[in-house]
């Protein structure tokens, strides 16, 4: 535990909560590890004060860095206090363009993995990612209700003959009708991990995380199976808009325990008896948004 006295007094050490951060650096093409990359970490509230500097090892990974975080109780019950702390991460490596991630979210008692993809400096300039507030802490547009089982009349021709777990999904980073929003090709498992890290807290009981991950996967596979957006003339699988789909945040950190759960059940989904397609499992937080008949996550 190093450099902790920058914001924690000795008398507070016994009661201060901590979360853990690990950074993984790879090339943007080929996903090869980048060793000896320099990682600088600063509190988002004081970005000019670097509190930790560490380098990646031969597999492109740093050790786990312990960072102050709010009490775990803040993320277990609805409270007005922000339940996570925020840190800025800057990564540099010889021959590669710098990458900065602002407002990475650190929860207490869990390890967070920050993936960083770096492009050669001769083909790219520096890149900045800003992690948006968590959906349980910030009020995003509520989900527009839809039928949980789609008919052929609604979707047009259903292209897939059976439910297939895709390797990639195309995420439209905005509402469906926004032509300026970027489309991102994202590995299916990584998409689920990102959404779960954005919509639930990794400090929750394991069974609760399992249930929510299963709901996220079922919703996503319904979009895949019914070709919901492509049948409307769009060229993507799903959006990052909470009014239509789930919140996906480009470049955000992923919690290790959520990642393990996703990897263990990634080819599962919820369905109805005698209905082949996955259920479009809609839910709300049950606090800021009321949704009778849906799942609630608080």
């Amino acid at each position: 535990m190093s450099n902790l006295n920058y914001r924690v007094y000795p008398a507070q050490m016994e009661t201060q909560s901590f979360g853990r951060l690990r950074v993984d650096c790879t090339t943007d093409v080929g996903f090869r590890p980048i060793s000896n990359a320099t990682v600088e970490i600063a509190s988002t509230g004081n970005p000019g004060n670097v509190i930790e500097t560490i380098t990646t090892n031969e597999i492109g990974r740093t050790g786990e860095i312990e960072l102050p975080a709010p009490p775990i109780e803040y993320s277990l019950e609805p409270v007005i206090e922000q339940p996570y702390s925020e840190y800025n991460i800057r990564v540099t490596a010889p021959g590669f363009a710098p990458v900065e991630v602002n407002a990475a979210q650190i929860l207490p008692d869990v390890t967070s993995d920050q993936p960083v993809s770096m492009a050669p400096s001769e083909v790219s300039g520096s890149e900045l990612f800003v992690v948006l507030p968590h959906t349980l802490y910030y009020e995003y547009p509520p989900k527009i209700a839809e039928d949980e089982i789609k008919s052929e009349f609604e979707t047009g021709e259903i292209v897939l003959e059976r439910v297939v777990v895709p390797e990639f999904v195309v995420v439209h980073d905005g509402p469906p009708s926004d032509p300026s929003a970027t489309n991102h090709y994202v590995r299916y498992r990584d998409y689920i991990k990102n959404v779960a890290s954005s919509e639930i807290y990794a400090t929750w009981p394991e069974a609760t995380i399992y249930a929510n991950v299963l709901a996220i996967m079922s919703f996503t596979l319904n979009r895949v199976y019914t070709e919901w957006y492509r049948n409307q003339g769009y060229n993507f699988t799903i959006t990052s808009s909470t009014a239509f789909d789930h919140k996906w945040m480009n470049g955000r950190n992923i919690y290790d325990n959520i990642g393990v759960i996703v990897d263990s059940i990634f080819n599962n989904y919820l369905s109805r008896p005698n209905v082949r397609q996955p259920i479009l499992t809609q839910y709300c937080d049950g606090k800021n948004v009321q949704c009778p008949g849906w799942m609630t996550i608080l």
Side-chain angles (χ1 to χ4, degrees):
M1 190 182 300
S2 60
N3 293 336
L4 295 178
N5 60 351
Y6 71 93
R7 60 180 296 176
V8 182
Y9 293 102
Q12 297 174 302
M13 292 292 285
E14 291 185 4
T15 58
Q16 173 67 50
S17 298
F18 294 92
R20 298 174 297 276
L21 173 68
R22 183 177 59 236
V23 179
D24 280 287
C25 297
T26 60
T27 59
D28 67 334
V29 176
F31 301 103
R32 296 187 302 274
I34 300 175
S35 60
N36 295 316
T38 300
V39 178
E40 297 177 328
I41 301 170
S43 169
T44 300
N46 189 9
N49 179 31
V50 175
I51 59 175
E52 190 83 49
T53 301
I54 194 169
T55 57
T56 58
N57 59 19
E58 65 277 4
I59 62 170
R61 174 175 291 181
T62 69
E64 291 186 1
I65 306 156
E66 203 162 40
L67 297 166
I72 194 169
E73 292 78 16
Y74 289 4
S75 58
L76 299 179
E77 296 289 342
V79 294
I80 60 172
E81 292 85 2
Q82 181 171 294
Y84 51 86
S85 52
E86 296 179 345
Y87 293 90
N88 292 354
I89 303 164
R90 178 175 170 80
V91 183
T92 55
F96 292 92
V99 175
E100 188 167 349
V101 180
N102 287 357
Q105 299 167 5
I106 301 300
L107 286 163
D109 299 343
V110 293
T111 298
S112 174
D113 184 71
Q114 179 62 63
V116 173
S117 177
M118 306 186 77
S121 54
E122 66 268 18
V123 298
S124 176
S126 60
E127 195 165 12
L128 171 66
F129 298 93
V130 178
V131 180
L132 300 176
H134 198 280
T135 58
L136 293 176
Y137 185 69
Y138 182 80
E139 193 169 338
Y140 290 95
K143 176 72 178 72
I144 299 170
E146 299 178 42
D147 292 337
E148 65 176 26
I149 300 295
K150 303 298 187 185
S151 69
E152 290 189 24
F153 176 79
E154 289 180 293
T155 62
E157 179 185 0
I158 296 178
V159 176
L160 300 178
E161 294 183 353
R162 59 186 176 87
V163 178
V164 175
V165 176
E167 184 176 359
F168 289 88
V169 292
V170 181
V171 184
H172 186 69
D173 200 5
S177 59
D178 181 1
S180 66
T182 303
N183 287 349
H184 299 270
Y185 285 77
V186 184
R187 292 183 185 275
Y188 171 75
R189 291 198 210 187
D190 292 340
Y191 169 80
I192 301 297
K193 293 174 186 179
N194 185 303
V195 168
S197 295
S198 302
E199 298 211 339
I200 63 176
Y201 290 137
T203 52
W204 289 359
E206 185 177 84
T208 306
I209 296 175
Y210 267 104
N212 280 273
V213 166
L214 192 55
I216 293 167
M217 293 191 301
S218 298
F219 185 107
T220 303
L221 289 177
N222 182 280
R223 291 294 197 228
V224 172
Y225 177 78
T226 62
E227 295 280 352
W228 180 248
Y229 287 110
R230 295 188 188 279
N231 280 316
Q232 298 177 57
Y234 298 114
N235 61 344
F236 48 83
T237 313
I238 203 162
T239 77
S240 66
S241 169
T242 57
F244 298 90
D245 299 295
H246 294 131
K247 193 63 188 173
W248 174 85
M249 303 182 191
N250 190 24
R252 75 151 296 134
N253 53 302
I254 307 300
Y255 301 104
D256 268 15
N257 59 332
I258 287 178
V260 168
I261 288 173
V262 171
D263 287 337
S264 69
I265 60 171
F266 75 94
N267 58 350
N268 288 268
Y269 58 89
L270 299 170
S271 64
R272 298 285 187 196
N274 302 316
V275 177
R276 185 166 52 185
Q277 71 178 262
I279 296 172
L280 191 79
T281 36
Q282 298 160 99
Y283 56 80
C284 67
D285 63 17
K287 179 171 68 77
N288 294 321
V289 178
Q290 299 300 314
C291 47
W294 289 7
M295 291 177 55
T296 59
I297 56 178
L298 286 178

